[in-house]
Amino acid sequence: MEFSLIDRIRDLTAQARDDVRLGIGDDAALLAVPPGQELAVAIDTMVEGVHFPVGTAAADIGWKALAVNLSDLAAMGATPAWALLALTLPKADVAFIDGFAAGFAQLAQPYRLALVGGDTTRGALTISVAVHGFVPPGKALTRSGAQAGDVVLVTGTLGDAAAGLQCVQRHRRSDDAQTRYLIERLNRPTPRVAAGLALRDRASACIDVSDGLLADLGHICASSHVGAELDAAMLPRSSALLDLFDETTSRDFALSGGDDYELCFTVPAQQVAAVQADLAKLGCGATRIGRVVEGEGIIVRDRDGHPLASSRQGWDHFNA
Ligand code: ADP
Ligand code: MG
């Protein structure tokens, strides 16, 4: 449908790549996977009002729709290459498309990621992006390799996006820099692609934090048949989060808030210093937050080593 809309998307996201033999405009794209590489593919859907607040700027939606997918490739240690975009729009809205494509392209450009096709339909605002990336055989990071004794680390800071969502929902004035920072972290998450690549030969397990640290580290634990112990005092939190929210709230956001798109990963103890040095160079850093233990479930300890009492839904499940 709507060829002018598709033309606009194609022009605004144009990215020349030799491995795209045929891009947008035919019945299917033709793509050449480089010899000696495996294809890593992922898809994520965002529904207005569910995955981003109603009223989010079109450019932010375009950025985030790609960012959440690049984050999945980052968590696998894959190099991004191509994307497909299925757009469902309430109406043929040129201003929305131009903003959306600009936000999408802004994030795609530094990765030279090419949008090679998609689908455009009418309905409630819903965006699905599928991404494709390359990884050498056997080098992908998975959720299943964590071993007792490994150290648990996380990139960047946690809880900012959950705090940003609360700012939006409470109509907090965004004329102070800290509120703006938190809302930016919600709307424009930074996928940790370079960090994922740096972890390829180092991390025993890796996941991106989309549903909250406890939930996502819980997936590593379940896949790896291990448990984890976290030190609440070590959770990396931004100064904006700490300044605007009290200790308990910021800790709960860091443990259970979603949408941060940081990487949570495990490494053998003797690799920690090298990994932290590498990720510091990449700008995001990596903070040691706990350790992998035998058994199952996650225990979060306070400064004195006492397990924290349950304070949010979803917590007991992991602490049981
Ligand atoms: P078809 O009926 O063959 O699926 P479409 O009209 O849906 O054709 O799409 C025409 C071309 O435009 C195809 O190459 C398709 O991949 C591309 N396309 C459609 N919608 C989008 C979109 N939202 N983003 C990128 N490419 C799109
Ligand atoms: Mg189609």
Side-chain angles (χ1 to χ4, degrees), residues 30-233:
L30 296 174
L31 307 167
V33 180
Q37 301 280 319
E38 282 179 350
L39 199 55
V41 298
I43 184 165
D44 259 315
T45 298
M46 300 199 326
V47 179
E48 181 180 46
V50 180
H51 301 96
F52 57 89
V54 174
T56 302
D60 290 341
I61 298 171
W63 174 288
K64 189 166 181 176
L66 179 58
V68 303
N69 279 281
L70 291 184
S71 180
D72 283 324
L73 290 183
M76 297 301 289
T79 306
W82 312 312
L84 294 166
L85 167 65
L87 259 183
T88 304
L89 300 170
K91 59 181 164 57
D93 181 343
V94 169
F96 179 87
I97 286 294
D98 285 358
F100 179 94
F104 185 101
Q106 197 184 343
L107 179 58
Q109 211 266 327
Y111 297 106
R112 295 188 41 254
L113 175 130
L115 182 63
V116 297
D119 196 26
T120 309
T121 55
R122 204 173 294 265
L125 183 56
T126 304
I127 303 105
S128 292
V129 174
V131 284
H132 309 68
F134 308 139
V135 64
K139 294 288 186 190
L141 304 169
T142 67
R143 301 175 177 186
S144 58
Q147 297 198 336
D150 287 353
V151 174
V152 181
L153 296 100
V154 67
T155 59
T157 58
L158 294 173
D160 293 330
L165 179 61
Q166 193 169 103
C167 292
V168 171
Q169 286 169 341
R170 296 192 176 168
H171 304 289
R172 240 191 106 91
R173 289 157 57 86
S174 56
D175 49 7
D176 73 276
Q178 289 166 317
T179 304
R180 272 205 308 277
Y181 175 81
L182 295 175
I183 294 175
E184 182 89 353
R185 290 273 289 159
L186 172 71
N187 288 334
R188 296 223 169 197
T190 305
R192 301 301 187 188
V193 175
L197 296 178
L199 291 173
R200 259 185 198 169
D201 291 309
R202 293 229 158 93
S204 51
C206 185
I207 194 166
D208 65 320
V209 181
S210 53
D211 296 333
L213 176 67
L214 290 177
D216 291 314
L217 178 58
H219 293 316
I220 286 184
C221 289
S223 295
S224 301
H225 309 290
V226 293
E229 290 190 0
L230 299 181
D231 301 312

Side-chain angles (χ1 to χ4, degrees), residues 243-259:
D243 285 350
L244 295 185
F245 293 85
D246 65 37
E247 170 61 26
T248 309
T249 307
S250 71
R251 189 188 69 204
D252 286 349
F253 282 157
L255 286 170
S256 306
D259 264 8

